[in-house]
Amino acid sequence: SQQGEEDPQALSIQEGENATMNCSYKTSINNLQWYRQNSGRGLVHLILIRSNEREKHSGRLRVTLDTSKKSSSLLITASRAADTASYFCATPPAGGTSYGKLTFGQGTILTVHP
Amino acid sequence: EPEVTQTPSHQVTQMGQEVILRCVPISNHLYFYWYRQILGQKVEFLVSFYNNEISEKSEIFDDQFSVERPDGSNFTLKIRSTKLEDSAMYFCASLGLAFYNEQFFGPGTRLTVL
């Protein structure tokens, strides 16, 4: 089993539509993070949600966390062509320190058509 | 805004050769990491480094790999004898105490082993 699995694997939408990506994980966490990766580029941190939070907003991003279902979702509202990228969820070690390794999911490839 | 930098952006080498990938983490950060991403796959943790020593390493990080912080600014990953399967994007990341588990990633070095 793998920690952090996103679905769908690929998502194709039109500009202006909302995009929703989901992430499931296996073990308990103290936070979950979402990263974006433009094609062939580095990872950009988008948002971190703590285990005691259920929802968090940042601009056009909305992240939810359901610890009972061990799942999180990332919603991008009013998508733009520039949002085209791969999106990954990542979790630190269960019950560990804040400074441990991150475990990444396979990612969702989002394509936003102009 | 401070950022993690990596050099070179692309390295091509022959199988069996040694390579050194370089990273300059954000100054005053204390925790340093290397991850890699084989094309089309997810980001995998290699090693974490704190207080001038390895704090954790993955199964991938075998005797062919080593890390070093030779001075106060650089953080290097050495692969002693490269294999074809070492071809990947290598990301450096750093984390400071002011940011709760947010690792700042560099743009990556694409390593191609021929």
Side-chain angles (χ1 to χ4, degrees), chain B residues 31-94:
Chain B
Y31 297 84
F32 313 108
Y33 310 82
W34 284 101
Y35 295 81
R36 79 170 187 191
Q37 184 182 34
I38 295 172
L39 187 62
Q41 298 186 23
K42 61 182 179 181
V43 177
E44 301 173 290
F45 168 77
L46 291 178
V47 66
S48 58
F49 192 86
Y50 169 71
N51 200 26
N52 282 323
E53 60 183 24
I54 291 173
S55 48
E56 187 177 2
K57 59 183 181 180
S58 71
E59 292 175 352
I60 303 168
F61 194 88
D62 61 22
D63 291 344
Q64 292 300 310
F65 291 86
S66 62
V67 289
E68 196 177 31
R69 189 156 162 81
D71 52 41
S73 60
N74 291 285
F75 180 49
T76 63
L77 174 68
K78 182 192 292 186
I79 309 175
R80 289 192 183 81
S81 179
T82 50
K83 308 183 186 72
L84 295 177
E85 53 265 37
D86 293 328
S87 295
M89 185 77 105
Y90 288 80
F91 294 105
C92 172
S94 69

Side-chain angles (χ1 to χ4, degrees), chain A residues 24 26 40 43 52 63 73-75 82 86 88-90 103 105 108:
Chain A
S24 60
K26 301 291 184 183
L43 293 158
N52 60 355
V63 169
S73 69
L74 170 67
L75 167 68
S86 293
F88 298 90
C89 66
T103 299
T108 293

Side-chain angles (χ1 to χ4, degrees), chain A residues 2-5 30-31 33 35 37 40-45 48 50 88 91-93 97-107, chain B residues 31 33 35 37 40-45 47-48 55-58 89 91 95-97 99-108 110:
Chain A
Q2 294 183 3
Q3 183 82 337
E5 293 295 325
N30 53 34
N31 69 72
Q33 303 173 45
Y35 284 81
Q37 183 182 33
R41 306 293 293 275
L43 293 158
V44 176
H45 187 268
L48 180 153
R50 293 183 171 80
F88 298 90
T91 53
T97 68
S98 301
Y99 316 118
K101 67 181 182 184
L102 291 175
T103 299
F104 286 81
Q106 291 280 6
Chain B
Y31 297 84
Y33 310 82
Y35 295 81
Q37 184 182 34
Q41 298 186 23
K42 61 182 179 181
V43 177
E44 301 173 290
F45 168 77
V47 66
S48 58
S55 48
E56 187 177 2
K57 59 183 181 180
S58 71
M89 185 77 105
F91 294 105
L95 182 149
L97 294 178
F99 293 92
Y100 185 86
N101 213 65
E102 179 182 342
Q103 295 182 21
F104 289 80
F105 282 78
R110 180 167 298 284

Side-chain angles (χ1 to χ4, degrees), chain A residues 19-97:
Chain A
T20 299
M21 289 158 271
N22 302 296
C23 167
S24 60
Y25 56 92
K26 301 291 184 183
T27 62
S28 62
I29 58 171
N30 53 34
N31 69 72
L32 184 144
Q33 303 173 45
W34 285 91
Y35 284 81
R36 184 185 74 215
Q37 183 182 33
N38 288 53
S39 180
R41 306 293 293 275
L43 293 158
V44 176
H45 187 268
L46 294 177
I47 196 164
L48 180 153
I49 186 165
R50 293 183 171 80
S51 59
N52 60 355
E53 297 176 311
R54 291 295 168 260
E55 189 171 308
K56 199 162 182 179
H57 297 253
S58 176
R60 294 184 296 112
L61 304 181
R62 181 171 79 97
V63 169
T64 62
L65 180 64
D66 187 334
T67 53
S68 67
K69 295 180 180 177
K70 291 187 168 58
S71 68
S72 173
S73 69
L74 170 67
L75 167 68
I76 304 174
T77 60
S79 63
R80 305 167 182 165
D83 295 327
T84 295
S86 293
Y87 291 82
F88 298 90
C89 66
T91 53
T97 68

Side-chain angles (χ1 to χ4, degrees), chain B residues 15-34:
Chain B
M15 191 169 57
Q17 294 295 304
E18 174 184 287
V19 294
I20 297 176
L21 310 183
R22 302 179 192 281
C23 168
V24 179
I26 295 173
S27 64
N28 81 5
H29 277 192
L30 300 176
Y31 297 84
F32 313 108
Y33 310 82
W34 284 101

